[in-house]
Amino acid sequence: MTSGLFISFEGIDGSGKSTQTRLLAEALRASGRETILTREPGGSPGAEEIRQLVLTGDPTRWSAETELLLFTAARRDHLERTIRPALDAGHTVITDRFADSTRVYQGATRGDLRDTVDRLHALMIGTEPDLTFLIDMDPATALARGLARRSGEDRFEDMGLGFQETLRAGFLDLAAQSPDRFRVIDGNRTPEAVAAEISAIALPRAGATA
Ligand code: ADP
Ligand code: TYD
């Protein structure tokens, strides 16, 4: 059996990733594809425990290096226990965030860690998605959406608008460096319009029938 398609969604906080991952999973299932919807940090029992450590509490709770190790530990568990088994079974996997989030949040914004991020990824993860949707949008609008939601997991949202602007630029840089893998999607539209563009790209790639 051939490996399933591995799709990630990336973007700043509040850009609509959770909404769009859910809509794409529904579209894929409706067209007959077995689809796993997952997220980072998290996506396996151990990684969900690490999620609590990194997303709650004081913004200065962890050094940048410790935070990088925690996100990487969570990703390794997620990959071993959730992503790989599903891909090996031929299922489509959609994840809300993956390694590009670490490249941008830890690598591009907190000191000169980018080289360490890349080395740790090569050593411990070594996998990239087949297709990555970057939902791009104005940080002020996205931040207002995210903070309106107040999930209690707002450590990064609490770092403010300038931080979100740096993140946006970091994601656009990554997309420009890997144009074959990335599709940049304008998130400043209705959820339905965004979802229609994403489905038109993803369904044929996943071998869906509709
Ligand atoms: P993320 O996972 O990127 O943080 P969400 O999908 O959770 O984003 O969306 C953040 C908030 O914005 C939610 O309250 C959601 O209902 C709302 N939202 C999502 N997409 C849109 C959109 N296209 N237009 C307006 N509001 C949206
Ligand atoms: P998420 O729950 O997707 O947040 P949101 O719905 O607000 O987009 O992700 C949680 C936070 O974790 C988000 O602010 C980004 C951050 N993060 C990192 O800093 N590094 C990482 O490797 C990952 C996966 C997430």
Side-chain angles (χ1 to χ4, degrees):
M1 180 177 285
T2 54
S3 179
L5 188 73
F6 183 23
I7 304 174
S8 66
F9 279 69
E10 298 284 357
I12 59 176
D13 301 289
S15 56
K17 295 178 305 303
S18 319
T19 305
Q20 294 301 326
T21 51
R22 186 171 38 77
L23 292 173
L24 179 60
E26 284 169 10
L28 282 162
R29 287 173 187 146
S31 65
R33 288 295 307 166
E34 188 94 41
T35 302
I36 306 300
L37 176 55
T38 186
R39 68 163 181 186
E40 290 205 353
S44 63
E48 289 289 334
E49 288 190 41
I50 297 173
R51 179 182 176 95
Q52 289 309 309
L53 295 176
V54 284
L55 295 191
T56 61
D58 192 275
T60 60
R61 181 177 185 184
W62 306 108
S63 74
E65 289 79 4
T66 310
E67 191 174 277
L68 170 61
L69 289 167
L70 288 168
F71 278 115
T72 306
R75 179 160 309 123
R76 175 75 196 205
D77 194 62
H78 186 208
L79 196 58
E80 285 177 8
R81 295 174 194 252
T82 303
I83 297 174
R84 281 232 167 283
L87 292 175
D88 289 348
H91 301 159
T92 302
V93 173
I94 302 172
T95 184
D96 184 342
R97 298 192 183 280
F98 195 66
D100 297 311
S101 282
T102 312
R103 295 185 175 108
V104 171
Y105 280 77
Q106 281 69 48
T109 65
R110 310 216 14 211
D112 194 15
L113 268 188
R114 183 55 207 273
D115 184 51
T116 310
V117 167
D118 288 342
R119 286 160 63 196
L120 203 52
H121 179 82
L123 196 62
M124 284 295 153
I125 308 297
T127 295
E128 298 295 347
D130 301 303
L131 176 62
T132 297
F133 290 106
L134 170 56
I135 306 187
D136 181 52
M137 64 176 299
D138 167 46
T141 312
L143 191 65
R145 283 184 192 171
L147 289 177
R149 189 183 37 174
R150 270 287 160 207
S151 62
E153 294 179 334
D154 301 321
R155 233 185 103 229
F156 288 93
E157 275 114 322
D158 285 348
M159 293 182 189
L161 188 58
F163 181 69
Q164 297 293 328
E165 278 163 353
T166 304
L167 296 173
R168 181 192 194 184
F171 277 123
L172 287 170
D173 274 355
L174 280 184
Q177 285 162 27
S178 302
D180 291 346
R181 175 163 67 87
F182 273 91
R183 294 292 175 273
V184 181
I185 305 291
D186 176 8
N188 287 295
R189 295 176 289 165
T190 64
E192 294 75 22
V194 176
E197 185 181 354
I198 290 171
S199 285
I201 296 166
L203 265 61
R205 288 281 302 271
T209 51

PDB file of all heavy atoms in Angstrom, residues 142-175:
ATOM      1  N   ALA A 142      -6.164  38.903  12.823  1.00  0.00           N
ATOM      2  CA  ALA A 142      -5.988  37.557  13.369  1.00  0.00           C
ATOM      3  C   ALA A 142      -5.882  37.598  14.891  1.00  0.00           C
ATOM      4  O   ALA A 142      -6.459  36.767  15.592  1.00  0.00           O
ATOM      5  CB  ALA A 142      -4.746  36.906  12.771  1.00  0.00           C
ATOM      6  N   LEU A 143      -5.153  38.589  15.401  1.00  0.00           N
ATOM      7  CA  LEU A 143      -4.973  38.689  16.853  1.00  0.00           C
ATOM      8  C   LEU A 143      -6.310  38.976  17.535  1.00  0.00           C
ATOM      9  O   LEU A 143      -6.622  38.396  18.575  1.00  0.00           O
ATOM     10  CB  LEU A 143      -3.947  39.780  17.175  1.00  0.00           C
ATOM     11  CG  LEU A 143      -3.452  39.824  18.619  1.00  0.00           C
ATOM     12  CD1 LEU A 143      -2.669  38.561  18.962  1.00  0.00           C
ATOM     13  CD2 LEU A 143      -2.572  41.049  18.859  1.00  0.00           C
ATOM     14  N   ALA A 144      -7.100  39.850  16.923  1.00  0.00           N
ATOM     15  CA  ALA A 144      -8.417  40.161  17.493  1.00  0.00           C
ATOM     16  C   ALA A 144      -9.288  38.903  17.515  1.00  0.00           C
ATOM     17  O   ALA A 144      -9.972  38.622  18.493  1.00  0.00           O
ATOM     18  CB  ALA A 144      -9.092  41.263  16.677  1.00  0.00           C
ATOM     19  N   ARG A 145      -9.244  38.113  16.457  1.00  0.00           N
ATOM     20  CA  ARG A 145     -10.003  36.849  16.438  1.00  0.00           C
ATOM     21  C   ARG A 145      -9.524  35.912  17.539  1.00  0.00           C
ATOM     22  O   ARG A 145     -10.322  35.340  18.267  1.00  0.00           O
ATOM     23  CB  ARG A 145      -9.750  36.104  15.124  1.00  0.00           C
ATOM     24  CG  ARG A 145     -10.474  36.606  13.914  1.00  0.00           C
ATOM     25  CD  ARG A 145     -10.129  35.626  12.797  1.00  0.00           C
ATOM     26  NE  ARG A 145     -10.501  36.069  11.479  1.00  0.00           N
ATOM     27  CZ  ARG A 145     -10.133  35.428  10.376  1.00  0.00           C
ATOM     28  NH1 ARG A 145      -9.366  34.353  10.460  1.00  0.00           N
ATOM     29  NH2 ARG A 145     -10.504  35.860   9.202  1.00  0.00           N
ATOM     30  N   GLY A 146      -8.213  35.780  17.650  1.00  0.00           N
ATOM     31  CA  GLY A 146      -7.636  34.818  18.597  1.00  0.00           C
ATOM     32  C   GLY A 146      -7.902  35.210  20.032  1.00  0.00           C
ATOM     33  O   GLY A 146      -8.280  34.380  20.855  1.00  0.00           O
ATOM     34  N   LEU A 147      -7.724  36.501  20.337  1.00  0.00           N
ATOM     35  CA  LEU A 147      -7.902  36.933  21.725  1.00  0.00           C
ATOM     36  C   LEU A 147      -9.377  36.945  22.106  1.00  0.00           C
ATOM     37  O   LEU A 147      -9.731  36.718  23.260  1.00  0.00           O
ATOM     38  CB  LEU A 147      -7.270  38.314  21.947  1.00  0.00           C
ATOM     39  CG  LEU A 147      -5.738  38.316  21.925  1.00  0.00           C
ATOM     40  CD1 LEU A 147      -5.199  39.741  22.092  1.00  0.00           C
ATOM     41  CD2 LEU A 147      -5.139  37.432  23.007  1.00  0.00           C
ATOM     42  N   ALA A 148     -10.259  37.169  21.120  1.00  0.00           N
ATOM     43  CA  ALA A 148     -11.698  37.137  21.396  1.00  0.00           C
ATOM     44  C   ALA A 148     -12.087  35.743  21.887  1.00  0.00           C
ATOM     45  O   ALA A 148     -12.993  35.572  22.692  1.00  0.00           O
ATOM     46  CB  ALA A 148     -12.479  37.492  20.130  1.00  0.00           C
ATOM     47  N   ARG A 149     -11.326  34.748  21.409  1.00  0.00           N
ATOM     48  CA  ARG A 149     -11.630  33.362  21.735  1.00  0.00           C
ATOM     49  C   ARG A 149     -11.169  32.988  23.138  1.00  0.00           C
ATOM     50  O   ARG A 149     -11.750  32.153  23.785  1.00  0.00           O
ATOM     51  CB  ARG A 149     -10.910  32.506  20.686  1.00  0.00           C
ATOM     52  CG  ARG A 149     -11.208  31.087  20.656  1.00  0.00           C
ATOM     53  CD  ARG A 149     -10.340  30.437  19.598  1.00  0.00           C
ATOM     54  NE  ARG A 149      -9.001  31.039  19.560  1.00  0.00           N
ATOM     55  CZ  ARG A 149      -8.014  30.603  18.818  1.00  0.00           C
ATOM     56  NH1 ARG A 149      -8.194  29.603  18.019  1.00  0.00           N
ATOM     57  NH2 ARG A 149      -6.833  31.191  18.863  1.00  0.00           N
ATOM     58  N   ARG A 150     -10.052  33.571  23.604  1.00  0.00           N
ATOM     59  CA  ARG A 150      -9.497  33.339  24.958  1.00  0.00           C
ATOM     60  C   ARG A 150      -9.532  31.892  25.410  1.00  0.00           C
ATOM     61  O   ARG A 150     -10.342  31.495  26.270  1.00  0.00           O
ATOM     62  CB  ARG A 150     -10.231  34.209  25.980  1.00  0.00           C
ATOM     63  CG  ARG A 150      -9.583  35.561  26.178  1.00  0.00           C
ATOM     64  CD  ARG A 150      -8.288  35.466  26.950  1.00  0.00           C
ATOM     65  NE  ARG A 150      -7.431  36.648  26.755  1.00  0.00           N
ATOM     66  CZ  ARG A 150      -6.106  36.619  26.868  1.00  0.00           C
ATOM     67  NH1 ARG A 150      -5.478  35.524  27.160  1.00  0.00           N
ATOM     68  NH2 ARG A 150      -5.399  37.702  26.684  1.00  0.00           N
ATOM     69  N   SER A 151      -8.654  31.103  24.873  1.00  0.00           N
ATOM     70  CA  SER A 151      -8.705  29.667  25.136  1.00  0.00           C
ATOM     71  C   SER A 151      -8.025  29.280  26.440  1.00  0.00           C
ATOM     72  O   SER A 151      -8.142  28.157  26.901  1.00  0.00           O
ATOM     73  CB  SER A 151      -8.017  28.932  23.989  1.00  0.00           C
ATOM     74  OG  SER A 151      -6.656  29.326  23.940  1.00  0.00           O
ATOM     75  N   GLY A 152      -7.236  30.199  27.045  1.00  0.00           N
ATOM     76  CA  GLY A 152      -6.424  29.829  28.196  1.00  0.00           C
ATOM     77  C   GLY A 152      -5.067  29.293  27.770  1.00  0.00           C
ATOM     78  O   GLY A 152      -4.211  29.017  28.597  1.00  0.00           O
ATOM     79  N   GLU A 153      -4.861  29.142  26.447  1.00  0.00           N
ATOM     80  CA  GLU A 153      -3.568  28.685  25.911  1.00  0.00           C
ATOM     81  C   GLU A 153      -2.978  29.818  25.082  1.00  0.00           C
ATOM     82  O   GLU A 153      -2.647  29.660  23.915  1.00  0.00           O
ATOM     83  CB  GLU A 153      -3.764  27.435  25.038  1.00  0.00           C
ATOM     84  CG  GLU A 153      -4.233  26.225  25.826  1.00  0.00           C
ATOM     85  CD  GLU A 153      -4.451  24.996  24.940  1.00  0.00           C
ATOM     86  OE1 GLU A 153      -4.721  25.161  23.736  1.00  0.00           O
ATOM     87  OE2 GLU A 153      -4.328  23.873  25.466  1.00  0.00           O
ATOM     88  N   ASP A 154      -2.871  30.979  25.717  1.00  0.00           N
ATOM     89  CA  ASP A 154      -2.577  32.191  24.956  1.00  0.00           C
ATOM     90  C   ASP A 154      -1.179  32.738  25.204  1.00  0.00           C
ATOM     91  O   ASP A 154      -0.937  33.934  25.039  1.00  0.00           O
ATOM     92  CB  ASP A 154      -3.615  33.283  25.304  1.00  0.00           C
ATOM     93  CG  ASP A 154      -5.026  32.826  24.990  1.00  0.00           C
ATOM     94  OD1 ASP A 154      -5.209  32.167  23.958  1.00  0.00           O
ATOM     95  OD2 ASP A 154      -5.928  33.131  25.787  1.00  0.00           O
ATOM     96  N   ARG A 155      -0.238  31.856  25.621  1.00  0.00           N
ATOM     97  CA  ARG A 155       1.098  32.350  25.934  1.00  0.00           C
ATOM     98  C   ARG A 155       1.693  33.115  24.764  1.00  0.00           C
ATOM     99  O   ARG A 155       2.299  34.156  24.952  1.00  0.00           O
ATOM    100  CB  ARG A 155       2.015  31.184  26.311  1.00  0.00           C
ATOM    101  CG  ARG A 155       2.710  31.386  27.636  1.00  0.00           C
ATOM    102  CD  ARG A 155       3.708  30.262  27.906  1.00  0.00           C
ATOM    103  NE  ARG A 155       5.040  30.724  27.656  1.00  0.00           N
ATOM    104  CZ  ARG A 155       5.931  30.070  26.920  1.00  0.00           C
ATOM    105  NH1 ARG A 155       5.608  28.942  26.340  1.00  0.00           N
ATOM    106  NH2 ARG A 155       7.123  30.553  26.755  1.00  0.00           N
ATOM    107  N   PHE A 156       1.515  32.607  23.545  1.00  0.00           N
ATOM    108  CA  PHE A 156       2.134  33.265  22.395  1.00  0.00           C
ATOM    109  C   PHE A 156       1.318  34.463  21.925  1.00  0.00           C
ATOM    110  O   PHE A 156       1.882  35.497  21.554  1.00  0.00           O
ATOM    111  CB  PHE A 156       2.360  32.261  21.254  1.00  0.00           C
ATOM    112  CG  PHE A 156       3.464  31.303  21.575  1.00  0.00           C
ATOM    113  CD1 PHE A 156       3.201  30.084  22.173  1.00  0.00           C
ATOM    114  CD2 PHE A 156       4.783  31.635  21.334  1.00  0.00           C
ATOM    115  CE1 PHE A 156       4.225  29.203  22.493  1.00  0.00           C
ATOM    116  CE2 PHE A 156       5.818  30.757  21.649  1.00  0.00           C
ATOM    117  CZ  PHE A 156       5.536  29.544  22.238  1.00  0.00           C
ATOM    118  N   GLU A 157      -0.015  34.336  21.944  1.00  0.00           N
ATOM    119  CA  GLU A 157      -0.843  35.497  21.597  1.00  0.00           C
ATOM    120  C   GLU A 157      -0.520  36.672  22.534  1.00  0.00           C
ATOM    121  O   GLU A 157      -0.548  37.825  22.130  1.00  0.00           O
ATOM    122  CB  GLU A 157      -2.337  35.164  21.717  1.00  0.00           C
ATOM    123  CG  GLU A 157      -2.927  34.516  20.467  1.00  0.00           C
ATOM    124  CD  GLU A 157      -3.347  33.086  20.722  1.00  0.00           C
ATOM    125  OE1 GLU A 157      -2.629  32.393  21.470  1.00  0.00           O
ATOM    126  OE2 GLU A 157      -4.362  32.664  20.155  1.00  0.00           O
ATOM    127  N   ASP A 158      -0.183  36.355  23.800  1.00  0.00           N
ATOM    128  CA  ASP A 158       0.077  37.406  24.781  1.00  0.00           C
ATOM    129  C   ASP A 158       1.351  38.183  24.477  1.00  0.00           C
ATOM    130  O   ASP A 158       1.622  39.202  25.104  1.00  0.00           O
ATOM    131  CB  ASP A 158       0.159  36.795  26.192  1.00  0.00           C
ATOM    132  CG  ASP A 158      -1.229  36.426  26.722  1.00  0.00           C
ATOM    133  OD1 ASP A 158      -2.225  36.851  26.103  1.00  0.00           O
ATOM    134  OD2 ASP A 158      -1.305  35.722  27.736  1.00  0.00           O
ATOM    135  N   MET A 159       2.165  37.700  23.537  1.00  0.00           N
ATOM    136  CA  MET A 159       3.400  38.409  23.207  1.00  0.00           C
ATOM    137  C   MET A 159       3.155  39.607  22.294  1.00  0.00           C
ATOM    138  O   MET A 159       4.082  40.361  22.013  1.00  0.00           O
ATOM    139  CB  MET A 159       4.419  37.442  22.604  1.00  0.00           C
ATOM    140  CG  MET A 159       4.903  36.409  23.632  1.00  0.00           C
ATOM    141  SD  MET A 159       6.148  35.306  22.969  1.00  0.00           S
ATOM    142  CE  MET A 159       6.296  34.104  24.288  1.00  0.00           C
ATOM    143  N   GLY A 160       1.939  39.801  21.781  1.00  0.00           N
ATOM    144  CA  GLY A 160       1.573  41.054  21.141  1.00  0.00           C
ATOM    145  C   GLY A 160       1.666  41.100  19.625  1.00  0.00           C
ATOM    146  O   GLY A 160       2.101  40.163  18.971  1.00  0.00           O
ATOM    147  N   LEU A 161       1.246  42.283  19.101  1.00  0.00           N
ATOM    148  CA  LEU A 161       1.095  42.454  17.656  1.00  0.00           C
ATOM    149  C   LEU A 161       2.421  42.448  16.902  1.00  0.00           C
ATOM    150  O   LEU A 161       2.528  41.848  15.825  1.00  0.00           O
ATOM    151  CB  LEU A 161       0.336  43.767  17.401  1.00  0.00           C
ATOM    152  CG  LEU A 161      -0.097  44.033  15.975  1.00  0.00           C
ATOM    153  CD1 LEU A 161      -0.997  42.924  15.447  1.00  0.00           C
ATOM    154  CD2 LEU A 161      -0.833  45.370  15.902  1.00  0.00           C
ATOM    155  N   GLY A 162       3.444  43.109  17.464  1.00  0.00           N
ATOM    156  CA  GLY A 162       4.751  43.140  16.787  1.00  0.00           C
ATOM    157  C   GLY A 162       5.289  41.730  16.599  1.00  0.00           C
ATOM    158  O   GLY A 162       5.850  41.393  15.546  1.00  0.00           O
ATOM    159  N   PHE A 163       5.093  40.906  17.599  1.00  0.00           N
ATOM    160  CA  PHE A 163       5.520  39.502  17.532  1.00  0.00           C
ATOM    161  C   PHE A 163       4.788  38.783  16.398  1.00  0.00           C
ATOM    162  O   PHE A 163       5.390  38.067  15.594  1.00  0.00           O
ATOM    163  CB  PHE A 163       5.225  38.840  18.880  1.00  0.00           C
ATOM    164  CG  PHE A 163       5.629  37.397  18.985  1.00  0.00           C
ATOM    165  CD1 PHE A 163       6.960  37.026  19.007  1.00  0.00           C
ATOM    166  CD2 PHE A 163       4.667  36.402  19.095  1.00  0.00           C
ATOM    167  CE1 PHE A 163       7.334  35.683  19.116  1.00  0.00           C
ATOM    168  CE2 PHE A 163       5.025  35.066  19.203  1.00  0.00           C
ATOM    169  CZ  PHE A 163       6.359  34.717  19.211  1.00  0.00           C
ATOM    170  N   GLN A 164       3.493  39.012  16.272  1.00  0.00           N
ATOM    171  CA  GLN A 164       2.711  38.355  15.215  1.00  0.00           C
ATOM    172  C   GLN A 164       3.169  38.831  13.825  1.00  0.00           C
ATOM    173  O   GLN A 164       3.152  38.069  12.862  1.00  0.00           O
ATOM    174  CB  GLN A 164       1.213  38.638  15.397  1.00  0.00           C
ATOM    175  CG  GLN A 164       0.624  38.086  16.695  1.00  0.00           C
ATOM    176  CD  GLN A 164       0.605  36.564  16.761  1.00  0.00           C
ATOM    177  OE1 GLN A 164       0.452  35.894  15.747  1.00  0.00           O
ATOM    178  NE2 GLN A 164       0.777  36.012  17.946  1.00  0.00           N
ATOM    179  N   GLU A 165       3.576  40.107  13.738  1.00  0.00           N
ATOM    180  CA  GLU A 165       4.063  40.612  12.440  1.00  0.00           C
ATOM    181  C   GLU A 165       5.382  39.940  12.057  1.00  0.00           C
ATOM    182  O   GLU A 165       5.607  39.599  10.893  1.00  0.00           O
ATOM    183  CB  GLU A 165       4.191  42.137  12.486  1.00  0.00           C
ATOM    184  CG  GLU A 165       2.829  42.774  12.244  1.00  0.00           C
ATOM    185  CD  GLU A 165       2.715  44.233  12.654  1.00  0.00           C
ATOM    186  OE1 GLU A 165       3.662  44.767  13.268  1.00  0.00           O
ATOM    187  OE2 GLU A 165       1.658  44.817  12.369  1.00  0.00           O
ATOM    188  N   THR A 166       6.255  39.727  13.048  1.00  0.00           N
ATOM    189  CA  THR A 166       7.507  38.998  12.787  1.00  0.00           C
ATOM    190  C   THR A 166       7.217  37.569  12.334  1.00  0.00           C
ATOM    191  O   THR A 166       7.852  37.041  11.416  1.00  0.00           O
ATOM    192  CB  THR A 166       8.362  38.969  14.074  1.00  0.00           C
ATOM    193  OG1 THR A 166       8.564  40.308  14.503  1.00  0.00           O
ATOM    194  CG2 THR A 166       9.709  38.302  13.842  1.00  0.00           C
ATOM    195  N   LEU A 167       6.235  36.943  12.987  1.00  0.00           N
ATOM    196  CA  LEU A 167       5.863  35.575  12.616  1.00  0.00           C
ATOM    197  C   LEU A 167       5.362  35.513  11.179  1.00  0.00           C
ATOM    198  O   LEU A 167       5.739  34.629  10.408  1.00  0.00           O
ATOM    199  CB  LEU A 167       4.746  35.061  13.530  1.00  0.00           C
ATOM    200  CG  LEU A 167       5.059  34.899  15.013  1.00  0.00           C
ATOM    201  CD1 LEU A 167       3.785  34.559  15.777  1.00  0.00           C
ATOM    202  CD2 LEU A 167       6.112  33.828  15.237  1.00  0.00           C
ATOM    203  N   ARG A 168       4.502  36.465  10.826  1.00  0.00           N
ATOM    204  CA  ARG A 168       3.952  36.455   9.467  1.00  0.00           C
ATOM    205  C   ARG A 168       5.079  36.526   8.433  1.00  0.00           C
ATOM    206  O   ARG A 168       5.092  35.759   7.465  1.00  0.00           O
ATOM    207  CB  ARG A 168       3.004  37.642   9.284  1.00  0.00           C
ATOM    208  CG  ARG A 168       2.382  37.659   7.910  1.00  0.00           C
ATOM    209  CD  ARG A 168       1.682  38.968   7.615  1.00  0.00           C
ATOM    210  NE  ARG A 168       0.815  38.848   6.453  1.00  0.00           N
ATOM    211  CZ  ARG A 168       0.152  39.862   5.928  1.00  0.00           C
ATOM    212  NH1 ARG A 168       0.238  41.074   6.465  1.00  0.00           N
ATOM    213  NH2 ARG A 168      -0.608  39.686   4.863  1.00  0.00           N
ATOM    214  N   ALA A 169       6.016  37.442   8.654  1.00  0.00           N
ATOM    215  CA  ALA A 169       7.142  37.577   7.715  1.00  0.00           C
ATOM    216  C   ALA A 169       7.956  36.285   7.674  1.00  0.00           C
ATOM    217  O   ALA A 169       8.411  35.852   6.606  1.00  0.00           O
ATOM    218  CB  ALA A 169       8.016  38.763   8.134  1.00  0.00           C
ATOM    219  N   GLY A 170       8.142  35.647   8.819  1.00  0.00           N
ATOM    220  CA  GLY A 170       8.901  34.393   8.880  1.00  0.00           C
ATOM    221  C   GLY A 170       8.224  33.291   8.072  1.00  0.00           C
ATOM    222  O   GLY A 170       8.885  32.556   7.333  1.00  0.00           O
ATOM    223  N   PHE A 171       6.912  33.187   8.190  1.00  0.00           N
ATOM    224  CA  PHE A 171       6.188  32.164   7.416  1.00  0.00           C
ATOM    225  C   PHE A 171       6.275  32.447   5.916  1.00  0.00           C
ATOM    226  O   PHE A 171       6.472  31.524   5.114  1.00  0.00           O
ATOM    227  CB  PHE A 171       4.713  32.108   7.844  1.00  0.00           C
ATOM    228  CG  PHE A 171       4.461  31.269   9.072  1.00  0.00           C
ATOM    229  CD1 PHE A 171       3.836  31.804  10.193  1.00  0.00           C
ATOM    230  CD2 PHE A 171       4.823  29.924   9.105  1.00  0.00           C
ATOM    231  CE1 PHE A 171       3.593  31.040  11.319  1.00  0.00           C
ATOM    232  CE2 PHE A 171       4.572  29.137  10.226  1.00  0.00           C
ATOM    233  CZ  PHE A 171       3.961  29.700  11.343  1.00  0.00           C
ATOM    234  N   LEU A 172       6.132  33.725   5.534  1.00  0.00           N
ATOM    235  CA  LEU A 172       6.196  34.046   4.096  1.00  0.00           C
ATOM    236  C   LEU A 172       7.593  33.749   3.540  1.00  0.00           C
ATOM    237  O   LEU A 172       7.719  33.285   2.402  1.00  0.00           O
ATOM    238  CB  LEU A 172       5.801  35.508   3.867  1.00  0.00           C
ATOM    239  CG  LEU A 172       4.295  35.781   4.041  1.00  0.00           C
ATOM    240  CD1 LEU A 172       4.008  37.284   4.042  1.00  0.00           C
ATOM    241  CD2 LEU A 172       3.473  35.085   2.945  1.00  0.00           C
ATOM    242  N   ASP A 173       8.635  33.972   4.341  1.00  0.00           N
ATOM    243  CA  ASP A 173      10.003  33.634   3.919  1.00  0.00           C
ATOM    244  C   ASP A 173      10.133  32.134   3.665  1.00  0.00           C
ATOM    245  O   ASP A 173      10.697  31.707   2.664  1.00  0.00           O
ATOM    246  CB  ASP A 173      11.016  33.995   5.015  1.00  0.00           C
ATOM    247  CG  ASP A 173      11.453  35.438   4.928  1.00  0.00           C
ATOM    248  OD1 ASP A 173      11.044  36.112   3.965  1.00  0.00           O
ATOM    249  OD2 ASP A 173      12.188  35.871   5.837  1.00  0.00           O
ATOM    250  N   LEU A 174       9.614  31.336   4.609  1.00  0.00           N
ATOM    251  CA  LEU A 174       9.697  29.872   4.445  1.00  0.00           C
ATOM    252  C   LEU A 174       8.973  29.428   3.181  1.00  0.00           C
ATOM    253  O   LEU A 174       9.462  28.569   2.443  1.00  0.00           O
ATOM    254  CB  LEU A 174       9.040  29.161   5.635  1.00  0.00           C
ATOM    255  CG  LEU A 174       9.819  29.017   6.929  1.00  0.00           C
ATOM    256  CD1 LEU A 174       8.979  28.198   7.907  1.00  0.00           C
ATOM    257  CD2 LEU A 174      11.163  28.346   6.691  1.00  0.00           C
ATOM    258  N   ALA A 175       7.796  30.015   2.947  1.00  0.00           N
ATOM    259  CA  ALA A 175       7.014  29.640   1.759  1.00  0.00           C
ATOM    260  C   ALA A 175       7.795  29.966   0.489  1.00  0.00           C
ATOM    261  O   ALA A 175       7.796  29.187  -0.469  1.00  0.00           O
ATOM    262  CB  ALA A 175       5.668  30.350   1.767  1.00  0.00           C
TER     263      ALA A 175
END
